[in-house]
Amino acid sequence: MQSNNPPTKSGGADRFDVHQAVTDKIVAAIEAGAGDWQMPWHRAKGASAFPINVKTGNAYRGINTVVLWCTALDRGYETPVWGTFKQWLDRGTPVRKGEKATPGVFYKDLDITERDDATGETTEKTIGMAKAFWLFNAAQVEGYAPPATPEDRPSLVDAIAHADAAISATGAVIQHDGGHMAFYRPSTDSIHLPEPSRFVDTAAHSATEGYYATKLHELIHWTGAKSRLDRDLSGRFKSDTYAMEELVAEIGAAFLCAELAIAPEVRPDHAQYVAGWLKVLKDDKRAIFTAAAMAQKASSFVMGFSAPRPTRPDVTDPGAGPTSAPPSPSDDQSGGPS
C-alpha cells in the first residue's frame, strides 16, 4: 500500500507535501500493525460512553450497545443511562407519559428435544432464544439526577489559538452538548462534540490532540455537504459509502492536524481508526489513496477560509497553501456526506 509518489515540485525546487507525508505515515503504521482504536474521550471512571443499566450499573453488550447508541444519537439523549419501565418506577423516577420505548434483545436458554426420523433416536440440546424487552433513557423519566459528569472535573485540553481561529473562520456551527458522542448532523448542518473535559491523555495522544483531532474529523464531514464539496461516494462504493466517508474524515483530520501543527507526528490512533474501516473496504486496495485525495480536497477547503497556515519547520515555503493540487472529479471526487 506504500505510495511511491515523489515530493511535489514547484519552480524547480522541492516543496514539502504535507498530505503525501501524512498518508505515507498512516499507511506505514497500518502495515506495521495499527492496533485497536478507542474513542479519545473515554474516562477511566464515571460517565462511561457505553450505555448502562440504571439498576445494575452494568454496560449493555452486543447489539444492544449499537441500538442504544443509535437511539441516543437520533433523539439527542446526553446521558447513557437506560432502564425498563419497572426499573425506573421502582426507583421513584417514573417514565413520562407518551414516551417511546427502545427495543433491546436478550437471549434465554431453551431446552429442546430433537428426534432423528431415520433412527428414532432423540437428543437433548439447549439453544438460545432471542426475546425483546423495552428500555427508556434517563431523559424520558421524571426526577432523575445523573451522577457527576466530566464537566465537574478540570479539563486536560489546552486551547490552541491558531487552530481555534482556523476552525472558527469556516463558520461551522459547533456545539458541545455534554453528551458522549461526536458527530455531524446533516439535518441541522451542525457539529456536536463531548465537552473538552471528557478527553483524556492516552498512549496515542494527549487530551488536547484528541480533542482537536475529533473536532477536525467532524469538520471534514461538514465539508461534504451539498452546499460545500457535495461529496457523494455512493456511485463507486455503494454499501460501503459510510465506511469510505469515515476514511475521508479521519485522513482529513490527520492532514489538518499536520497543517495546524497540532501534533508533531502522525498519531497512532489515526492509523488505528483508518485500519478499522479499511477492513470494510478490503476488496478495494486503492481505497486509502482515493480517500486521501478526497481528504486533501476537504482539508484544503477548510484551510481556505483562514490566513496562511502556521509556520512548520519542515515546510520550505510556510506562506504557501497545500502543495498538491486538489483532486479533480476524475480522481473519484464525486461528492455527499455520510
Side-chain angles (χ1 to χ4, degrees):
M1 295 172 65
Q2 183 69 40
S3 170
N4 295 316
N5 292 347
T8 300
K9 295 183 178 180
S10 177
D14 289 350
R15 183 182 293 172
F16 180 79
D17 186 341
V18 64
H19 300 107
Q20 190 61 58
V22 170
T23 303
D24 288 345
K25 288 185 178 181
I26 289 176
V27 171
I30 291 172
E31 290 177 339
D36 297 324
W37 182 83
Q38 292 183 333
M39 290 181 185
W41 56 87
H42 281 187
R43 286 281 183 175
K45 295 181 180 179
S48 170
F50 288 93
I52 61 174
N53 180 265
V54 67
K55 181 177 180 179
T56 66
N58 294 331
Y60 289 94
R61 306 293 297 274
I63 188 61
N64 291 322
T65 300
V66 177
V67 169
L68 297 180
W69 264 343
C70 291
T71 301
L73 175 61
D74 181 59
R75 300 183 189 174
Y77 297 154
E78 297 181 355
T79 303
V81 179
W82 299 78
T84 64
F85 186 92
K86 186 176 185 303
Q87 286 174 332
W88 287 116
L89 185 64
D90 287 347
R91 71 186 311 280
T93 53
V95 175
R96 287 191 296 269
K97 185 177 181 179
E99 292 287 350
K100 184 178 180 181
T102 299
V105 178
F106 74 93
Y107 292 89
K108 182 178 181 181
D109 289 341
L110 181 67
D111 295 327
I112 63 171
T113 301
E114 289 187 341
R115 183 177 183 277
D116 188 318
D117 293 336
T119 64
E121 295 181 353
T122 59
T123 304
E124 302 292 333
K125 64 184 301 185
T126 301
I127 62 172
M129 183 175 65
K131 300 196 70 174
F133 66 107
W134 302 94
L135 294 167
F136 296 88
N137 184 265
Q140 298 176 279
V141 307
E142 299 285 357
Y144 175 73
T149 65
E151 288 80 356
D152 301 324
R153 305 165 183 163
S155 175
L156 302 177
V157 174
D158 296 322
I160 301 177
H162 68 265
D164 289 335
I167 294 168
S168 178
T170 67
V173 175
I174 301 177
Q175 300 175 2
H176 295 85
D177 298 324
H180 61 283
M181 303 185 76
F183 58 94
Y184 165 65
R185 178 174 284 154
S187 62
T188 56
D189 194 28
S190 56
I191 292 169
H192 300 259
L193 299 171
E195 292 289 344
S197 56
R198 285 189 180 270
F199 288 79
V200 296
D201 294 332
T202 72
H205 55 69
S206 69
T208 299
E209 292 168 348
Y211 170 72
Y212 279 97
T214 300
K215 182 183 286 190
L216 294 172
H217 176 107
E218 302 308 331
L219 192 61
I220 294 293
H221 283 313
W222 173 87
T223 69
K226 191 172 184 64
S227 61
R228 299 181 189 99
L229 295 181
D230 193 17
R231 190 167 53 246
D232 180 5
L233 308 175
S234 59
R236 172 177 171 184
F237 296 98
K238 299 180 175 63
S239 61
D240 290 334
T241 296
Y242 180 78
M244 192 62 185
E245 173 65 18
E246 289 301 313
L247 281 176
V248 172
E250 190 63 11
I251 297 173
F255 287 166
L256 288 173
C257 281
E259 293 270 9
L260 295 166
I262 290 172
E265 292 290 338
V266 171
R267 302 194 333 269
D269 54 322
H270 283 307
Q272 291 161 1
Y273 191 93
V274 170
W277 287 111
L278 279 177
K279 292 176 184 177
V280 179
L281 297 168
K282 62 183 178 181
D283 295 331
D284 192 337
K285 295 180 180 179
R286 294 182 62 252
I288 188 171
F289 297 108
T290 301
M294 296 178 180
Q296 178 176 333
K297 184 172 184 177
S299 63
S300 297
F301 180 82
V302 169
M303 294 301 295
F305 285 94
S306 56
R309 66 190 182 194
T311 301
R312 291 176 52 93
D314 49 5
V315 178
T316 303
D317 180 6
T323 56
S324 297
S328 67
S330 61
D331 295 320
D332 297 299
Q333 180 61 41
S334 53
S338 57

